[in-house]
Amino acid sequence: MNLEKIDHLIKDDYAFFLQEKNGWSLTAGPQDLELVAHALRVLLHARTTPDFLADYLALVDCQGADGGWSPFSADRESTVWVSAFCGLMLIRGNRLLHHERLAHSVRRAIDYFLDTQHSDGRWVDPRWADLDTTSHPVSFFNVVMALNEPHHRSDVLRAWERGARFIIEHQSPDGGWYDTAFHPSGVEITAHLIQDALVADLVIDNRVSGVRESCAKGAVKLYDWQAADGSWDEENVDHTMDCTRSLMVVTRILGTERGEDFIMRGLHWILANKNTQGWGDFPGMETNLERTCDGLDTLLKYKAYRNANPLEVVKLWGYMA
């Protein structure tokens, strides 16, 4: 894949993303916080976070009294999945911004996840499957540990380990994870769990037994699920991007080369089904901002994946300082 072409696409779509700022920035008014978190991830990976302090502070202003966030900034009932995504963007963003309000917000988010974990290790969100929901606080705690955040460190370690074990214990013998109500195909949830919750342990702590084997089995299942045209889940753009990104970080951390062909087929399909600006949810559909954020994130991570240092792409998950 020609990296000059990738650079051109990133530049063009990043300009479009900024042009549409009123559609994702809390400085312009209430927003869907899942989209806001997607946008802040683009800023992180495009290395433009220092120019957007007001957006991070606006996210702090939306934080609930319990330390979590609601899916929509105008509401006040916190839910786990979006809270983890918001907390993750704040702790990673504050490595560059060094702002005490952000640091305090992260500590409150840590308390929220410690308070909401169930006794069996899971977290629950009515909008998501329990396994997928659980992967996001585990991902947040991955980065809390990687960045040596000291707040309730021993409690975080225990909660993180319980969450990771819950995920491993619910992996199917075929290597996938499934939820009949939310993720019947298993594609999206499997891609999420190996990249967000599990593979970081091999870089950060190597504390939970069976992680390497679980990630390897999950990756093989993603290989099996890829269609001949390079897409996943019946030409689902979102899920194809998820799988492609997941295989990038898993391939680098596991040190296996088998994922290369699947990553490249996925990337070629993503580019072949790009709109003039951004992406839609399926080929031929109109562009939306969340998918465009995912597309930019995929291209930025692919550039890091191609770096001579195999750990460069790992940094874009926050698993290395």
Side-chain angles (χ1 to χ4, degrees):
M1 180 66 66
N2 187 320
L3 288 181
E4 288 186 6
K5 177 182 179 182
I6 297 294
D7 281 334
H8 175 77
L9 291 173
I10 290 170
K11 181 178 178 181
D12 188 54
D13 278 302
Y14 184 74
F16 169 69
F17 163 77
L18 291 183
Q19 176 188 313
E20 299 297 315
K21 185 180 178 183
N22 285 348
W24 55 260
S25 175
L26 287 166
T27 64
Q31 305 284 1
D32 177 338
L33 289 190
E34 184 177 347
L35 173 57
V36 171
H38 275 80
L40 296 182
R41 185 171 64 183
V42 169
L43 299 178
L44 276 170
H45 298 163
R47 301 182 180 182
T48 54
T49 291
D51 297 331
F52 292 89
L53 173 60
D55 286 274
Y56 285 83
L57 293 176
L59 184 57
V60 172
D61 290 338
C62 294
Q63 192 171 19
D66 59 2
W69 284 265
S70 67
F72 297 93
S73 58
D75 299 332
R76 278 293 178 264
E77 186 173 351
S78 300
T79 58
V80 170
W81 196 97
V82 76
S83 294
F85 206 165
C86 291
L88 187 58
M89 293 304 100
L90 288 178
I91 190 170
R92 293 187 61 197
N94 205 36
R95 284 192 63 236
L96 301 168
L97 297 168
H98 308 292
H99 199 288
E100 179 52 35
R101 284 189 62 202
L102 302 189
H104 179 66
S105 177
V106 167
R107 294 191 289 269
R108 292 181 60 215
I110 290 171
D111 292 340
Y112 170 78
F113 292 114
L114 293 176
D115 290 343
T116 53
Q117 188 177 33
H118 289 226
S119 59
D120 63 357
R122 81 179 73 196
W123 280 268
V124 173
D125 186 324
R127 296 163 60 93
W128 293 86
D130 288 356
L131 282 163
D132 211 354
T133 298
T134 299
S135 76
H136 277 69
V138 172
S139 180
F140 173 64
F141 282 156
N142 285 336
V143 177
V144 167
M145 291 185 296
L147 299 184
N148 294 313
E149 165 58 52
H151 186 67
H152 292 317
R153 180 77 175 187
S154 60
D155 294 331
V156 167
L157 280 168
R158 283 192 294 272
W160 163 77
E161 184 173 354
R162 287 164 58 209
R165 289 193 185 283
F166 174 80
I167 290 169
I168 290 175
E169 288 167 2
H170 287 80
Q171 187 174 23
S172 296
D174 70 0
W177 283 269
Y178 303 88
D179 184 281
T180 54
F182 291 89
H183 302 283
S185 76
V187 171
E188 181 185 29
I189 193 169
T190 299
H192 281 171
L193 267 55
I194 56 176
Q195 68 177 316
D196 292 335
L198 297 182
V199 78
D201 179 51
L202 302 177
V203 179
I204 297 169
D205 198 83
N206 206 13
R207 182 184 181 98
V208 180
S209 61
V211 167
R212 177 174 290 274
E213 295 79 6
S214 179
C215 289
K217 286 172 61 180
V220 169
K221 194 61 186 173
L222 291 182
Y223 302 157
D224 292 344
W225 274 326
Q226 189 178 39
D229 64 4
S231 69
W232 275 272
D233 223 1
E234 299 181 353
E235 298 191 327
N236 186 307
V237 172
D238 182 18
H239 298 181
T240 298
M241 290 174 174
D242 268 328
C243 291
T244 302
R245 290 189 303 243
S246 183
L247 289 177
M248 287 181 201
V249 69
V250 171
T251 293
R252 287 296 183 245
I253 292 178
L254 294 185
T256 176
E257 296 183 2
R258 188 183 172 193
E260 172 71 10
D261 289 343
F262 299 91
I263 291 165
M264 294 311 302
R265 284 201 294 270
L267 189 65
H268 280 293
W269 186 87
I270 289 165
L271 295 182
N273 289 281
K274 184 185 180 304
N275 295 336
T276 302
Q277 292 180 306
W279 287 262
D281 290 330
F282 287 89
M285 292 183 66
E286 66 180 346
T287 292
N288 68 71
L289 284 173
E290 187 173 316
R291 228 45 340 103
T292 299
C293 288
D294 277 330
L296 274 165
D297 187 56
T298 302
L299 297 184
L300 287 161
K301 282 175 173 168
Y302 177 73
K303 280 191 65 180
Y305 172 76
R306 279 286 163 238
N307 193 285
N309 180 354
L311 294 179
E312 279 301 308
V313 73
V314 179
K315 294 177 183 178
L316 296 194
W317 270 262
Y319 300 155
M320 299 180 67

